[in-house]
Amino acid sequence: MSNESRAEVLARLPLREDLRGSTPYGAPQLDVPVRLNTNENSYDVPGDVVAAVVEAVRQQARHLNRYPDREFTELREDLANYLGHDLEADQIWAANGSNEVLQQLLQAFAGPGRTVLGFTPSYSMHPIISRGTGSAWVDGKRGRADGRTDDPNQFDLHVEETVAQIQDHRPHVTFLCSPNNPTGTALDIEVVKAAYEATDGILIVDEAYAEFARPGTPSALSLLPGRERLVVTRTMSKAFALAGARVGYLAADPAVTDAIRLVRLPYHLSSLTQAAARAALWHSDVLLDTVEEIKSERDRIVTSVGELGLRPAPSDANFVLIGGLGNEKAVWRSLLSRGVLIRDVGLPGFLRVTAGTSAETTTFLDALADSLLDVPGEELQTLS
Ligand SMILES: *Cc1c(COP(=O)(O)O)cnc(C)c1O
């Protein structure tokens, strides 16, 4: 090896100019006892489902000499059945995680010379995928911040500001995220309707956390009829506890799936993935059993951190954004030293924690109370 640094070699490589100086997605993957930083489902896949997945994969193994069904027709039928809303299989598309679905959408509808708008803070992968596809990313703003950094509702997205920013930037693709990551709160469905009317581009509503929403929260799936530029994305990574399988999907007008066929790589969804996803969907009742437990742990986090004097945002997801921290980086480190990994989402005064099992939640809440006493300045928060 030469003593030249990799950064020096990278600087010399003929990399795309627009990628120079950017950083990759990098949520820490640390081996600590309590991992509550990437909104995974903390529950293992139940035994019955494991058996069904293994059997489905076993049956496919013999046929691995052949390419998979390029159209993953049966999986699309199963996904349409799961979603309901009278959706048909030809309105569904799937890929290796909803991140790949989003990338395919931007390859088809954005790209060089085109603009993508999102409302920050939101899912950090939206700008990264945008940049990767050579699209121009516009960092839209959300919330009528009143200068109080601990106001839990400051990140709500309202109709007027959404429409105004769409009209200003005239994006080819607009991202909404509901329930929004990292804030946790679901969007008012009126924002989705108004955003659709305001744009002649594609409107993507990322509903990765839809299954965790509070009762009465409508899905943008209900808006699909008659809206050919509306796309709703979902994933099996969160509620279905299948992050490792990499299965995400969308529902939209069938013509949107035809557009994606122009950019997708043939056979992108392996036969093993298709088989595993279908076996899991046949057991969706069992898999989704943990959703209610996770929601009650989420609600416990909201109540308990409020009692500690902090400011949780209302959550429709499997995580909680906690505001009112004087020194979030020190609290994050203090929690890690106690074996609890949560997420610093880069918002001063805030940290995000995933709702895990009951035991994990208790460990987190105890560690948080201790950390607040540890970190200079934080004890004042708990007294106010
Ligand atoms: C976790 C998450 C996803 C999931 O991505 P996959 O590629 O399906 O694992 C998508 N969108 C948001 C907002 C998320 O937080």
Side-chain angles (χ1 to χ4, degrees):
M1 292 291 277
S2 80
N3 50 17
E4 221 179 351
S5 78
R6 284 186 27 192
E8 285 168 327
V9 180
L10 176 59
R12 211 168 50 229
L13 288 178
L15 181 69
R16 270 165 44 191
E17 286 306 325
D18 61 328
L19 290 179
R20 287 191 188 279
S22 56
T23 40
Y25 178 84
Q29 288 194 303
L30 302 177
D31 191 11
V32 296
V34 179
R35 280 177 290 172
L36 301 174
N37 73 324
T38 51
N39 299 341
E40 290 153 329
N41 191 318
S42 283
Y43 292 90
D44 286 345
V45 176
D48 291 359
V49 186
V50 171
V53 167
V54 168
E55 178 53 24
V57 166
R58 196 191 66 76
Q59 286 180 26
Q60 282 305 316
R62 281 182 72 79
H63 307 297
L64 285 176
N65 56 317
R66 299 290 176 189
Y67 281 114
D69 172 12
R70 205 170 47 219
E71 289 294 315
F72 44 99
T73 312
E74 292 174 318
L75 174 60
R76 280 164 46 217
E77 280 162 10
D78 291 347
L79 288 168
N81 283 339
Y82 165 68
L83 286 179
H85 292 271
D86 293 328
L87 289 163
E88 306 274 357
D90 65 355
Q91 294 181 267
I92 307 294
W93 184 259
N96 297 284
S98 54
N99 277 290
E100 189 180 48
V101 173
L102 297 176
Q103 183 180 52
Q104 292 173 334
L105 283 165
L106 294 195
Q107 285 175 326
F109 295 107
R114 293 190 160 215
T115 302
V116 179
L117 170 68
F119 300 90
T120 303
S122 192
Y123 186 39
S124 62
M125 280 308 298
H126 295 161
I128 293 176
I129 296 169
S130 236
R131 190 189 279 235
T133 58
S135 326
W137 171 257
V138 178
D139 220 7
K141 299 285 164 267
R142 61 167 63 227
R144 304 169 176 133
D146 57 5
R148 289 185 45 188
T149 57
D150 62 351
D151 178 355
N153 296 315
Q154 69 178 311
F155 299 119
D156 286 353
L157 187 59
H158 303 279
V159 166
E160 315 84 76
E161 66 193 350
T162 309
V163 169
Q165 292 176 81
I166 290 174
Q167 288 171 346
D168 268 8
H169 299 290
R170 304 181 53 77
H172 297 86
V173 176
T174 301
F175 276 111
L176 296 174
C177 188
S178 181
N180 187 50
N181 179 7
T183 60
T185 319
L187 269 181
D188 180 352
I189 195 100
E190 295 303 322
V191 174
V192 181
K193 289 188 200 163
Y196 187 84
E197 294 309 318
T199 183
D200 48 21
I202 293 286
L203 178 64
I204 301 174
V205 185
D206 184 335
E207 290 194 350
Y209 300 97
E211 287 91 347
F212 299 102
R214 286 170 291 182
T217 308
S219 164
L221 292 172
S222 64
L223 301 180
L224 284 173
R227 290 184 176 87
E228 64 196 26
R229 294 173 290 103
L230 177 63
V231 180
V232 182
T233 60
R234 296 281 188 103
T235 181
M236 296 186 77
S237 296
K238 309 288 162 60
F240 276 89
L242 237 53
R246 309 306 299 126
V247 186
Y249 55 103
L250 64 72
D253 190 278
V256 169
T257 69
D258 288 335
I260 293 179
R261 283 184 182 86
L262 303 174
V263 297
R264 64 87 174 268
L265 300 176
Y267 319 110
H268 66 285
L269 214 47
S270 85
S271 44
L272 303 182
T273 303
Q274 295 183 37
R278 293 191 69 212
L281 282 163
W282 298 335
H283 293 80
S284 54
D285 292 2
V286 189
L287 275 173
L288 295 176
D289 263 354
T290 60
V291 167
E292 286 310 312
E293 287 167 56
I294 292 166
K295 283 162 72 176
S296 70
E297 295 308 319
R298 166 198 73 198
D299 294 342
R300 178 157 75 102
I301 294 172
V302 170
T303 310
S304 304
V305 302
E307 285 164 6
L308 288 172
L310 301 174
R311 302 288 299 271
S315 178
D316 292 292
N318 66 341
F319 58 86
V320 179
L321 185 72
I322 301 170
L325 294 161
N327 186 348
E328 77 285 349
K329 295 202 187 307
V331 172
W332 184 87
R333 279 193 300 272
S334 174
L335 284 166
L336 188 57
S337 74
R338 293 179 160 84
V340 180
L341 176 62
I342 71 169
R343 190 68 167 272
D344 176 358
V345 289
L347 293 173
F350 291 89
L351 290 171
R352 190 194 72 191
V353 64
T354 307
T357 63
S358 175
E360 286 174 326
T361 301
T362 301
T363 304
F364 161 70
L365 289 170
D366 291 348
L368 179 64
D370 291 345
S371 298
L372 293 179
L373 297 174
D374 260 13
V375 173
E378 289 297 355
E379 67 271 32
L380 296 174
Q381 299 282 338
T382 65
L383 297 176
S384 66

